Amino acid sequence: MSILVDGDTRLLIQGITGREGQFHGQAMLNFGTQVVAGVTPGKGGQETFNGRVPIFDTVAEAVGRTGANTSVIYVPAAFAPDAIFEAASSGIGLIFCITEGIPALDMLRVYHVLRAQGVRLIGPNCPGATTPGEAKVGIIPGNIHRRGRVGLVSRSGTLTYEVVEALTDEGIGQSTCVGIGGDPIVGTSFIEILTLFEADPLTDAVVLIGEIGGDEEERAAEHIAKTMSKPVAAFVAGRTAPPGRRMGHAGAIISGGTGTAESKRTALRDAGVRVADSPLQIPALLREAGVA
Amino acid sequence: MKLQEFRSKEILARHGIPTLPGEIATTPAAARAAAERLGVPVVVKAQVLAGGRGKAGGVKLAADPAEAEARAAEILELRIAGAPVHTVLVTPSVVIAHEYYLAVILDRAARAVTVIASAEGGIDIEDVAQTDPAAVLRLPLHPLIGLQPHNVRAVSFFLAIPEAHRATFATTLTGLVEAFVQTDAELAEINPLALTSDGLVALDAKMVLDDSGLARHPDLEQLRDPAEEEPAEAAAREAGISYIKLEGTIGCMVNGAGLAMATMDLVKLAGGEPANFLDIGGGARHERVAAAFRIILADPNVRAVLINIFGGITRGDEVAQGIVEARAGLERQVPMVVRIVGTNADEAAFILESADLQTAYTLDEAAAMAVAAATAGEGR
C-alpha cells in the first residue's frame, strides 16, 4: 500500500485499442498492474492482450462488470475532457489523464466539476504514477524503479525518469513516483501529493521536481514549512530559460518577472528543502537528510 | 500564440468593444495615404509582438500626412527586442482624459478566468501591482456561470467609471470576456482603455491565444504571423519539434520539456551557454531527429551538440539511427556528445559506437563533455 496506486488498483484503460493504449497497456501488464478492463466505444465485447482484458463500450459498463476503480486515459485531446467526465460519472474515483494538448478552458471546467464530485484527477499531460513492486499507471518506464521509501512528485515526465534512475543507481528505492503534469491547469497540485506523502507510513522522504512558470513551487514551499515533518529534496528546471518564452510545457513560461527558477529555489530553500543544482545531486541530498 | 495589436483590436471590435479606425501599412507611402484617409493628427505604431514598443521608439505622433510618412519610415527601420518591424498601424490621435487598465486572464493559481482592472492604466500593470496592490482589482469569475451583471458592476464601481460611460463599460467588459472565451485565449488586454471626448475606447489591445485551443479555431490559426517568427522556430513547429533559439554555442537535442530545460541548466552550470531549447517530443522517429539536427546546425553559433534522450515512449535506437543518418548528410560537422538511456538504450549504444560517436553515461558528464568540445572548437 502506498499513495494513489498499489496492488489493489483495478485499472481501466480508456482508449485501450489506440496506439498508446496498446503499447502502454502491455507495459503496465508486464509491470504487474491489474489491468481489468478497457473502453473503446464501438469495440465492446472484444478482448485484447491475448484475451486477458475485456473491452467495453462505456465506462459505466466496465465498472459494473469488472469493479474497476482507477482509470487511465490515452484518448486524443479533442475527446479527453469527455472521457474524464465519463469516468467521473461512472463511479471511478481516481483518473489519470496522459493526453497532452487539452485546451486550458476545457480543463478549467473539468477541474471544477471533478472537485464538486469528489473525484481525483492526475494530469492531464502527465506521465502517471508508479509504485514499484505494486502497480504502474501511465507511461513511466517500468524498469528504472527500485522499491523503497522515497516519494517523488514532478511536473515533468522525462525529468522524472532522470531522477528516478539517479535514485535507483544510488540504491535509493521509491514508494510512489507521481507526475502531476506540465499544463497550467492540472487536476492535482504539488501540495495535495505532498499531503498524501506526509500521511503515508511507507514514505520517509520526498523529492519534488519543479520547473519555471506559475507559483505552484512557492505554494508548495509554504506548505512544506508549515506542515511537513518528512525531509524534502528538490530540483527546479529552467534556470537558463529566457523570460516571456514558453519552454515546451504550456505551464513553463516566465511572465513579468514571476515564476522564475530562482524564486522557486529560494522559496524552497527558505522552507528547509534541500535544493539540487543537478538531478544527480538528489540522492546525496537525501542521504544528508538521513535517508538510508 | 500572440496576436498583433491590430488583429487583437479586430477581434475585440467584433465583440462590441469600441476601437478607433485604423489602417495597416508596410511602406512609408502607404502610411501617408492612410493618414490622408483617416484625417490628422495620427499615431503611427509599430506592430511587433515584443513588449516595450513605446520606449523603443515604435510609437510616434504625426501632425500631417507627410510627417506620418516620415515617422513610418523611421519606425520601419527599427528592430524592437531583436525583431524587425514590418508593419505599422496608423490610427487617429485622440485627447485622453483618463486611462484604465482592463484585462481577462487565465489565473492558474485561482483556477479561474479572472478579470484584472485598475484605474491606473497606460503603464505596466505589474509595476502598479508591486507599488500599490490596492489599485489593482483581481476578480475571479465563477468557473461554470462566467461573468454576471454583479461582476460588471463591481469592476465598474472599483474603477469609478463616470455614470455616463457605465453602459459602454459594461459592453466593453462583457465583450472582452466573450472574446477571451470564444477564442480560447490566455490573455485579452486593453491598456489603455481610454476616456476621451467621444467616450470610452480601447486604444491598445493585446491577445494571447492558447495554442492547444487553436485546433478548433482554424480561422485564428490563419492569423499567425510568419514574418514575426524566427524561421527556424517556424520550421521546428511544422516538424512537431519545440524549439527556441538562444545566444549560446551548445546546441541541445532533448526529449521532454522538463529534461530539455534541465539539460540547458547543466550546460550553463558546466561553464557553457546553451544555443537553444529543443524538445523533440514524445515517440520521435528518426526523421524528426534528422529535422532537429538541421535546425540546430542552421545556427552558425553552434560549436557542439549535446544530445540527451531518456527513452520512455521514445526508442533510443530510433534516435541513434536518426543521429547517424543525419550526421552523414550534414555539410557542417561539429563535435557531438550523445547520451541515450531508457528504452532500447543498449541497441542505441551499439549503433553509436559503430558510428564512432562520443557517448556519455550521466547527464552531468554529458554536459561537461559538450562544454569541453565547444571550447576546444573555439580555440581552433
Side-chain angles (χ1 to χ4, degrees), chain B residues 105-152:
Chain B
I105 63 160
L106 178 72
D107 184 334
R108 47 194 291 173
R111 294 181 180 84
V113 172
T114 298
V115 175
I116 313 261
S118 175
E120 296 180 33
I123 51 169
D124 194 342
I125 192 70
E126 271 137 6
D127 291 344
V128 181
Q130 284 270 317
T131 53
D132 186 8
V136 180
L137 174 73
R138 292 180 78 96
L139 183 71
L141 302 180
H142 190 285
L144 304 179
I145 60 174
L147 184 77
Q148 298 292 304
H150 73 269
N151 299 137
V152 177

Side-chain angles (χ1 to χ4, degrees), chain B residues 5-380:
Chain B
E5 174 192 2
F6 73 96
R7 297 200 196 278
S8 305
K9 280 182 175 169
E10 278 166 16
I11 292 174
L12 297 188
R14 281 206 291 276
H15 289 274
I17 296 171
T19 55
L20 294 174
E23 286 190 33
I24 289 305
T26 53
T27 63
R32 178 191 189 114
E36 276 161 5
R37 280 188 293 267
L38 290 162
V40 290
V42 293
V43 186
V44 184
K45 304 168 89 175
Q47 298 297 289
V48 284
L49 297 177
R53 179 179 62 162
K55 281 175 203 150
V59 178
K60 286 182 171 150
L61 193 66
D64 55 63
E67 197 182 351
E69 180 170 0
R71 297 290 92 83
E74 288 161 22
I75 292 173
L76 288 166
E77 287 293 309
L78 289 177
R79 290 182 79 89
I80 297 176
V85 180
H86 299 293
T87 309
V88 294
L89 171 66
V90 183
T91 185
S93 162
V94 290
V95 178
I96 300 168
H98 194 89
E99 294 182 317
Y100 304 96
Y101 177 94
L102 190 64
V104 179
I105 63 160
L106 178 72
D107 184 334
R108 47 194 291 173
R111 294 181 180 84
V113 172
T114 298
V115 175
I116 313 261
S118 175
E120 296 180 33
I123 51 169
D124 194 342
I125 192 70
E126 271 137 6
D127 291 344
V128 181
Q130 284 270 317
T131 53
D132 186 8
V136 180
L137 174 73
R138 292 180 78 96
L139 183 71
L141 302 180
H142 190 285
L144 304 179
I145 60 174
L147 184 77
Q148 298 292 304
H150 73 269
N151 299 137
V152 177
R153 289 197 299 274
V155 182
S156 184
F157 285 115
F158 177 84
L159 295 177
I161 301 287
E163 199 180 342
H165 303 289
R166 276 184 210 148
T168 316
F169 180 76
T171 310
T172 301
L173 178 53
T174 308
L176 193 61
V177 172
E178 211 177 80
F180 180 93
V181 172
Q182 288 183 13
T183 58
D184 268 295
E186 292 172 353
L187 169 74
E189 180 186 79
I190 304 174
N191 186 28
L193 174 66
L195 188 57
T196 70
S197 49
D198 293 331
L200 285 171
V201 61
L203 283 194
D204 197 355
K206 182 160 79 179
M207 293 193 72
V208 182
L209 307 185
D210 176 2
D211 290 330
S212 295
L214 286 176
R216 57 186 174 201
H217 304 294
D219 53 322
L220 296 173
E221 173 66 46
Q222 301 294 314
L223 302 181
R224 191 182 290 281
D225 229 324
E228 274 290 326
E229 223 172 2
E230 183 78 44
E233 290 177 10
R237 189 164 44 73
E238 272 157 34
I241 295 163
S242 179
Y243 169 84
I244 290 170
K245 187 188 171 331
L246 301 170
E247 300 306 313
T249 57
I250 297 169
C252 301
M253 187 194 302
V254 188
N255 66 325
L259 188 56
M261 280 190 272
T263 304
M264 290 159 56
D265 294 348
L266 290 179
V267 162
K268 176 101 174 175
L269 204 65
E273 285 291 339
N276 62 274
F277 164 91
L278 190 149
D279 170 12
I280 58 170
R285 307 288 306 263
H286 57 99
E287 300 90 345
R288 208 192 291 168
V289 172
F293 249 119
R294 284 194 294 275
I295 290 162
I296 291 173
L297 290 182
D299 177 354
N301 292 336
V302 169
R303 293 277 168 272
V305 178
L306 166 56
I307 296 153
N308 184 32
I309 304 297
F310 206 120
I313 299 185
T314 308
R315 286 170 41 184
D317 53 341
E318 274 282 344
V319 178
Q321 196 57 49
I323 293 169
V324 172
E325 279 173 22
R327 191 178 65 152
L330 291 173
E331 287 174 17
R332 187 156 80 92
Q333 296 293 333
V334 300
M336 268 171 218
V337 179
V338 189
R339 171 177 182 256
I340 298 180
V341 288
T343 308
N344 294 359
D346 293 341
E347 292 86 337
F350 179 76
I351 295 169
L352 297 173
E353 273 160 34
S354 309
D356 215 12
L357 274 158
Q358 200 182 5
T359 57
Y361 181 65
T362 72
L363 183 47
D364 291 2
E365 199 177 281
M369 283 163 68
V371 173
T375 314
E378 270 158 26
R380 272 207 294 268

Side-chain angles (χ1 to χ4, degrees), chain A residues 49-69:
Chain A
F49 301 123
N50 297 320
R52 286 174 72 184
V53 180
I55 303 174
F56 299 90
D57 285 323
T58 68
V59 175
E61 197 187 351
V63 170
R65 298 275 291 280
T66 66
N69 56 20

